[in-house]
Amino acid sequence: MALKKGFRQLVEMAEAEVETISVDDAKRLVDDEDTVIVDLRDIRELWNSGTIPGSVHAPRGMLEFWVDPDSPYHRDVFSSGKKLVFFCAAGWRSALATKAVQDMGVSPVAHIGGGFSAWKEADGPVQAKEKK
């Protein structure tokens, strides 16, 4: 089966239209009161490897519903006016998610290039996430 566009092409297209920030820049945003860092990974990924301290968990499958103020699933953190910085494991889901919410009209938004893998590689702080 030949796809019109594969995931790599979709990620490249998204990255051409969104802001990608480096891990070093993201580290400086962890304590920024005007920034919300959003972990898009599955909860099992957080349990297994932890997360960026202070980040908000928003599973990728629910993001658009949590962002939209007209949705019954809306979360106030997404209409705070603060900059939203998304991340996932490798930066693929976060690129697509950043493009999606940007297309919805949300700004400012960005994603962390290389995702949580790059964060850990750069010795970024990691907070454990316990199972509930």
Side-chain angles (χ1 to χ4, degrees), residues 13 24 32 44 55 62 66-67 71 74 83 87-88 94 98 107 111 120 125:
M13 291 168 58
D24 287 337
D32 182 355
R44 291 174 290 269
S55 64
M62 290 301 294
W66 287 12
V67 167
S71 165
H74 176 69
K83 181 172 189 165
F87 74 94
C88 61
S94 60
T98 304
S107 78
H111 86 113
K120 289 193 313 187

Side-chain angles (χ1 to χ4, degrees), residues 23-94:
V23 168
D24 287 337
D25 288 340
K27 284 180 180 180
R28 288 189 281 277
L29 294 174
V30 168
D31 295 320
D32 182 355
E33 291 180 7
D34 294 323
T35 302
V36 177
I37 298 179
V38 182
D39 191 336
L40 298 167
R41 298 173 301 147
D42 181 86
I43 190 63
R44 291 174 290 269
E45 291 174 275
L46 279 71
W47 292 338
N48 290 334
S49 59
T51 189
I52 294 175
S55 64
V56 171
H57 180 233
R60 176 63 190 98
M62 290 301 294
L63 183 63
E64 290 84 349
F65 301 100
W66 287 12
V67 167
D68 186 344
D70 293 330
S71 165
Y73 301 104
H74 176 69
R75 301 286 171 97
D76 289 339
V77 68
F78 295 106
S79 57
S80 66
K82 296 179 179 185
K83 181 172 189 165
L84 302 175
V85 176
F86 299 101
F87 74 94
C88 61
W92 298 344
R93 287 173 284 181
S94 60

